[in-house]
Amino acid sequence: MASPELSQFRRIVVKVGSALLVDSDRGEVRASWLAALADDMAKLHREGRDVLVVSSGSIALGRSRLKLPRGPLKLEESQAAAAVGQIALARIWSEVLGAHDIGAGQILVTLQDTEERRRYLNARSTIGKLLEWRAIPVINENDTVATNEIRYGDNDRLAARVATMASADLLVLLSDIDGLYDAPPKNNPNAKLIPVVESISSEIEAVAGDAESELSRGGMRTKVEAAKIATTGGTHMLIASGKIEHPLQAIADGGRCTWFLTPANPITSRKRWIAGTLEPKGTLTIDAGAVTALRAGASLLPAGVIKVEGQFTRGDAVIVRGPDASEVGRGLIAYDAEVAERIKGRSSPDVMAILGISGRSEMIHRDDLVVGG
C-alpha cells in the first residue's frame, strides 16, 4: 500500500523525546537541531496547518540546572527536577517558535486529564483556542504532580492521547530510529524497515523492542502501543528518525519512516464514541428552529433549549430531543445541569449577565454532537 504524504494532513502532533532534545553528556538542549525542527514546524504553520508539540525534557533539563548526579532519581526528586526543568523547557520552546513570530502555549497534563471527561473537555477547549489563535500548544506530562500510579510512563502514549483529544489527523513520533523493522536492526544487519502498517497484528507487536536510551522512558513497544491508541481514535501515526536536522522536511521529501494507518478519521471516531459508548445522564429538549440548525451542522446554543432534565455535569453525555420528543441526537454538554437550567432559552448577552462571565457560547459544540438521521 502506498504511504500517505505529509501534505495531506491538516492537524499534526509532533512528539519530541528527551533523548533527542537534550544532550545527555552536557545536559543542555541541542540548540541547532531544535532550531531546524522549529523551521520545519514554521513551514507547516505558514501553510495553514495546525501544529502541536508533545515535548519531553523537563526532568532532564531540571537535573542539569540543579547539577544532580547521574543515575535514577526517586519519585520526589524527579518531581522537583521537573519543576525546575519545566520553566526552562517552556522558555526554550517559546524562543525557538518566537523566532518565527509564532506564539507557544504551555499545557501540562496528567493521565486523569484525558480520562475524566470534564478535565478532558477543558484541555481540549484550551488546545482548540490556542490553535484558533494560531499558536502552537507545547504539551508535556505534568511530572511535578504525576506519580508512579497515574503517570503515562512515556510520552509516546501521552502524544497519542493528545492527538485523539485534539482531533489531529496525524501523529509524528520522532525517534532515535527511523521506523519499525522486522527484526532489531542493531542485532540483525538484514533487518528490513516496515514502511506501512495497515493494522496492528500480533506479528507487528512481536517485533517491537524496548528502550535503550538513558533518557528515554519508551521504546518501540510503547510506540506500537501509542499507534493502537492513535489509530483507534482515527489518527494516522508515523515513526521517523529525529537524529537528523529538519526531520519533518525529510518526511515531506519521502524519507524513511513507518506509517501506521487508520481506517477512520478523528471526527467520526469521536462521534462514534459519543453516540454508542457513553451513558446519557440527562436530556435537553430544543425548539424546531434549533432542530433545523443542528441538522444543518450548527452547534446547540442555549437560546434553542426549552427544557432541561436529569442530573449531569459538564462533559457528560445527554440526549437531545425535538419539541415532539423525538431524539435528534446526543452530545457532550458544556454546562452542569443547574447552570443549563438557568441559561436555557437565553441569548448570549443574557448568559453573560446571568453567569457574570461570558461563558461558552454553545450548550453543545458541534464537534461534541452526533445528530441522527
Side-chain angles (χ1 to χ4, degrees), residues 78-96:
S78 293
Q79 291 171 324
V84 174
Q86 280 171 355
I87 294 175
L89 190 63
R91 178 183 59 80
I92 288 163
W93 278 108
S94 178
E95 288 177 352
V96 297

Side-chain angles (χ1 to χ4, degrees), residues 181-336:
Y181 284 76
D182 60 4
K186 288 189 177 181
N187 302 330
N188 187 342
N190 298 318
K192 295 180 180 179
L193 179 75
I194 303 172
V196 178
V197 176
E198 295 186 46
S199 63
I200 301 173
S201 62
S202 57
E203 289 79 12
I204 292 296
E205 292 181 295
V207 301
D210 293 318
E212 297 181 4
S213 167
E214 175 187 345
L215 291 178
S216 175
R217 296 183 198 156
M220 195 56 68
R221 186 176 304 279
T222 62
K223 288 173 173 55
V224 170
E225 291 172 0
K228 287 183 182 178
I229 296 169
T231 55
T232 299
T235 301
H236 293 286
M237 192 189 95
L238 70 83
I239 301 170
S241 175
K243 298 178 78 171
I244 59 175
E245 290 204 347
H246 297 287
L248 298 180
Q249 186 59 50
I251 295 167
D253 292 339
R256 290 168 64 84
C257 62
T258 297
W259 288 86
F260 293 82
L261 306 184
T262 176
N265 67 63
I267 300 300
T268 57
S269 294
R270 175 177 171 77
K271 293 199 173 186
R272 190 181 304 119
W273 170 67
I274 293 171
T277 305
L278 301 179
E279 178 187 356
K281 300 294 186 181
T283 301
L284 302 182
T285 301
I286 63 177
D287 61 31
V291 172
T292 300
L294 296 194
R295 296 200 187 283
S299 299
L300 176 61
L301 303 180
V305 179
I306 56 180
K307 187 176 182 181
V308 176
E309 299 174 279
Q311 294 299 315
F312 50 82
T313 59
R314 169 168 159 74
D316 281 341
V318 296
I319 296 173
V320 180
R321 298 189 182 278
D324 59 356
S326 63
E327 183 170 330
V328 176
R330 299 184 179 207
L332 303 183
I333 189 76
Y335 289 98
D336 294 349

Side-chain angles (χ1 to χ4, degrees), residues 325-365:
S326 63
E327 183 170 330
V328 176
R330 299 184 179 207
L332 303 183
I333 189 76
Y335 289 98
D336 294 349
E338 179 185 355
V339 178
E341 176 65 34
R342 291 170 59 197
I343 65 175
K344 71 181 182 186
R346 300 301 190 102
S347 65
S348 296
D350 288 342
V351 170
M352 183 175 181
I354 292 168
L355 300 182
I357 56 174
S358 59
R360 292 176 170 84
S361 58
E362 308 91 359
M363 189 82 84
I364 303 177
H365 192 278

Side-chain angles (χ1 to χ4, degrees), residues 50-70:
D50 294 335
V51 181
L52 301 86
V53 179
V54 174
S55 176
S56 302
S58 61
I59 295 176
L61 287 172
R63 70 186 298 161
S64 171
R65 298 293 193 274
L66 294 166
K67 296 180 171 55
L68 301 179
R70 284 180 175 270

